[in-house]
Amino acid sequence: MNLSVAIALGVVSGLAGAMPSAYLFEVALRGEPSRAASVARGLVSTMASFAMLSLAMLAVHLLAPEATLAFGCATCATFLAVWGIESVRGLRAMRAHGNVEGKDE
């Protein structure tokens, strides 16, 4: 497998692995009452993401062992980039409400 193909597939895999939990995070940010985010849904999305990423790594390791490192690095970097962006969005949403209760000293 060509190195650029492995990296491109790693980026796609990282995006696909981040999507179940990112979708649930977006639902929670919007506060949609019809699609409430729950602990059970969060756990299922985390398990689905883990299974997807693990199976992708296994497939690459079995089919093209020389591309495992490049694929894994691209997958991990993409996954962490998505969650870095989502964490900043969550922080901004939290600070936008301005509901600071209590006084820390």
Side-chain angles (χ1 to χ4, degrees), residues 4-84:
S4 59
V5 172
I7 292 172
L9 289 176
V11 168
V12 170
S13 175
L15 287 173
M19 284 306 117
S21 298
Y23 172 74
L24 194 61
F25 184 74
E26 290 296 325
V27 168
L29 274 181
R30 290 189 183 117
E32 296 177 16
S34 61
R35 297 180 179 175
S38 66
V39 173
R41 288 183 182 180
L43 185 60
V44 168
S45 71
T46 302
M47 288 189 301
S49 175
F50 176 75
M52 225 184 308
L53 292 174
S54 296
L55 289 175
M57 285 298 297
L58 178 65
V60 169
H61 182 68
L62 293 176
L63 298 175
E66 72 281 354
T68 303
L69 181 62
F71 177 84
C73 288
T75 300
C76 185
T78 304
F79 183 84
L80 292 176
V82 167
W83 279 107

